[in-house]
Amino acid sequence: MATLLIGEVTDGQLGLDATAKAVTAAQALGEVHVLCAGASARGAAEQAAQIQGVAKVLVAEDPALGHRLAEPTAALIVQLAASYSHVVAPATTDAKNVLPRVAALLDVMVISDVTGVVDADTFERPIYAGNAIQTVKSSDPVKVATIRTAGFDAAALGNSAPIEAAPGASDPGLSQWIEDRTAHSGRPELTSAPVVVSGGRGIGSKDGFAIVEGLADKLGAAVGASRAAVDAGYAPNDWQVGQTGKVVAPNLYVALGISGAIQHLAGMKDSKFIVAINKDAEAPIFQVADFGLVADLFTAVPELTEKL
Amino acid sequence: MKVLVPVKRVIDYNVKVRVRADGSGVDLANVKMSMNPFDEIAVEEAIRLKEQGTATEVVAVSIGVRQAQETLRTALAMGADRAILVIASEDVHQDIEPLAVAKILAGVVKEEAPGLVLCGKQAIDNDMNATGQMLAALLGWGQATFASELKVEGEQATVVREVDGGLQAIRVRMPAVVTVDLRMNEPRYASLPNIMKAKKKPLEEKTPADYGVDVTPRLSVVKTTEPASRKAGVMAKSVDELVDMIKGAGLV
Ligand SMILES: Cc1cc2nc3c(=O)[nH]c(=O)nc-3n(C[C@H](O)[C@H](O)[C@H](O)COP(=O)(O)OP(=O)(O)OC[C@H]3O[C@@H](n4cnc5c(N)ncnc54)[C@H](O)[C@@H]3O)c2cc1C
Ligand SMILES: Cc1cc2nc3c(=O)[nH]c(=O)nc-3n(C[C@H](O)[C@H](O)[C@H](O)COP(=O)(O)OP(=O)(O)OC[C@H]3O[C@@H](n4cnc5c(N)ncnc54)[C@H](O)[C@@H]3O)c2cc1C
């Protein structure tokens, strides 16, 4: 049986990077079908059809599916699940909202944040903020899993898989969308950017983040933050990197005024190169940094931005 | 309206976990255990709903080993009215899977008939981020996950959710399951008099059999290993040196 992969569709657009990385992970399980669901999803389906390794794309368009509400989306997936051995999705907030609901409706466990596929039943996943890696084997008839995409390369494009309409599902009408409050910075997306520059409590204020953003823009990087910086209101919630925020693994991660708590490291320690600037030589971030500089960030970062 | 708050006993977030050398798991004997931080936020929110007159009673429930009593006493000291402990395991190393936890919670919900279940978004030990969603599915209720704001207005609740793109506001029909994120509130500390009072609050003990739930795991743990570790690198003495190092490594 094949794997049903839930494509990441937001306002009709496919999250191509996340979906293509999840395809790479899912290919180890056999044939991959991608479901694109939304109020409009045809464009997303056409993009998904280009991903190498995709055998078929299912498209479900319905106003009820428009804002990734859990109940109608789960109802649709459950209806399709009978013909699949695996139901997987990139571990985005949308998938983490929907897939556990799908799993419970199918009376199976969900396997969250898979970082490795050992075989069709066996998966690796981090626990305890990434301080341990657990290998779990599922005895369920259908495996429902979210894939932590940071560890997988995106599948290439150039395919033209057939696109079919998925049967409609009924909306239980339990929730209603009111609004999305999203800001578009024009910067690369945090979870797929090759370079990430993050600021912590050491940045000291919302205005102080201009220093972080200045370096990020110089490097064409995405901007991240520690929980402390988000809690203090210096940075928006969707910039949070860590155990309970986003997990990133860029080529270069620059940590500015971040101490390096395990909960933060959980979200960035798989980065290829880590550079840290902190005024405290004892900060734990230096234990994972490839290059470190003990300095006051308010003078060092503008100088670095200028000289790079 | 009654509010049910599931609270999990987990390894304290400040403790550095140690993976056992034989790969059998993580050492949990003699380490500091605390209430899952997200669940403290859920308890706090429930108490605030009561203080505002929206909730009439706050019931905390925990599923696990007998020692989870301590976690429930913490919830009671914060202000919950009573507690239910479902003893599902004798061994601290045996965790109960979210599906089984959700089934037990569904049984508790049938008996208690709360108007709202407030869960944490994830437990910081296994990081599954699943129980609330699974409970909502089993009950056929609506769900609002990763909530940073909650307003209960009669038959519905308005919830602001923390999502990848920023924030999303939704309205969910009650009764519902809401899972709370970090920025919903700052949980209070229990005062000494309240800790004393909590000792006298009712704590009822149950077993999974009382709810007809089989807790046999669906996932078996093959092994638990240490992640690849990173080594500390080199320290630059100046910004100029750092620039050379970054350029030398071909990073820009
Ligand atoms: C349940 C739970 C979940 C959590 N999830 C996350 C998560 O997902 N992500 C996350 O990041 N955290 C998370 N945390 C929080 C985490 O434990 C830390 O509190 C947080 O990461 C600290 O952020 P910080 O490093 O910015 O702040 P601090 O630890 O306060 O560090 C600030 C650093 O800035 C340095 N500094 C100050 N001024 C300057 C200056 N002028 N120049 C240079 N350096 C300076 C200081 O030396 C210090 O090292 C979580 C905690 C809990 C309990
Ligand atoms: C060392 C180790 C050994 C393991 N051994 C086993 C094993 O022998 N058998 C087995 O079945 N699984 C085992 N597991 C796997 C484990 O059971 C699941 O991965 C785990 O339950 C995941 O859920 P979570 O606690 O992360 O819940 P989440 O879904 O992340 O929790 C979200 C919220 O649900 C509520 N909640 C969750 N659990 C409870 C609870 N118990 N009581 C009250 N409220 C709760 C809380 O509000 C919490 O904030 C083991 C895991 C480890 C690390």
Side-chain angles (χ1 to χ4, degrees), chain B residues 20-250:
Chain B
R20 289 193 191 130
D22 65 359
S24 64
V26 166
D27 224 330
L28 293 180
N30 307 317
V31 296
K32 184 174 180 218
M33 304 293 281
S34 299
M35 188 189 299
N36 181 35
F38 287 92
D39 302 352
E40 290 180 351
I41 297 170
V43 172
E44 174 67 34
E45 196 66 16
I47 298 166
R48 289 188 191 182
L49 287 172
K50 191 178 167 194
E51 287 167 350
Q52 289 156 17
T54 309
T56 49
E57 191 185 25
V58 177
V59 181
V61 52
S62 192
I63 296 146
V65 291
R66 184 174 295 278
Q67 293 90 314
Q69 274 197 26
E70 296 156 19
T71 313
L72 288 169
R73 292 287 171 206
T74 305
L76 294 169
M78 286 174 74
D81 297 294
R82 65 194 167 83
I84 302 168
L85 172 63
V86 184
I87 300 178
S89 162
E90 297 295 327
D91 176 2
V92 291
H93 291 97
Q94 205 212 320
D95 212 67
I96 312 301
E97 288 179 348
L99 181 61
V101 170
K103 286 181 180 177
I104 293 170
L105 291 174
V108 176
V109 166
K110 288 204 179 98
E111 280 184 3
E112 295 284 338
L116 174 68
V117 179
L118 271 177
C119 281
K121 128 169 145 170
Q122 82 194 57
I124 59 158
D125 47 2
N126 295 310
D127 288 333
M128 276 282 184
N129 189 337
T131 306
Q133 297 88 311
M134 291 190 133
L135 175 62
L138 297 176
L139 296 168
W141 289 8
Q143 68 188 50
T145 52
F146 327 144
S148 60
E149 268 176 65
L150 166 66
K151 240 187 271 138
V152 178
E153 302 143 325
E155 296 302 295
Q156 50 189 26
T158 305
V159 178
V160 177
R161 307 177 53 232
E162 293 200 358
V163 295
D164 284 340
L167 297 169
Q168 180 184 59
I170 65 169
R171 201 170 287 125
V172 60
R173 203 204 295 162
M174 304 285 271
V177 177
V178 174
T179 79
V180 307
D181 216 320
L182 295 170
R183 277 161 286 273
M184 180 166 257
N185 60 47
E186 282 255 13
R188 70 192 67 187
Y189 290 102
S191 66
L192 196 58
N194 285 343
I195 293 172
M196 300 313 287
K197 264 194 252 161
K199 294 191 173 144
K200 298 204 185 68
K201 289 186 179 175
L203 191 155
E204 191 185 354
E205 285 187 13
K206 297 273 201 177
T207 65
D210 293 335
Y211 304 101
V213 175
D214 174 6
V215 297
T216 310
R218 307 296 185 82
L219 304 181
S220 57
V221 180
V222 179
K223 62 175 183 203
T224 306
T225 52
E226 295 254 14
S229 64
R230 286 188 86 96
K231 278 201 250 345
V234 256
M235 299 300 284
K237 285 184 200 68
S238 64
V239 171
D240 286 321
E241 206 184 328
L242 184 63
V243 168
D244 289 344
M245 281 154 61
I246 292 173
K247 286 188 174 160

Side-chain angles (χ1 to χ4, degrees), chain A residues 138-222:
Chain A
S138 166
S139 58
D140 280 322
V142 187
K143 278 74 176 163
V144 177
T146 59
I147 312 273
R148 185 176 278 193
T149 51
F152 296 95
D153 292 328
L157 298 181
N159 190 14
S160 56
I163 300 176
E164 284 175 19
S170 61
D171 175 10
L174 295 166
S175 58
Q176 243 181 306
W177 173 81
I178 302 173
E179 61 171 341
D180 287 334
R181 293 181 214 154
T182 49
H184 294 284
S185 63
R187 295 196 184 91
E189 208 209 325
L190 188 52
T191 51
S192 58
V195 183
V196 174
V197 180
S198 288
R201 202 198 312 263
I203 302 300
S205 67
K206 196 172 176 183
D207 294 339
F209 252 78
I211 292 185
V212 181
E213 294 176 61
L215 178 58
D217 291 341
K218 182 74 179 267
L219 298 174

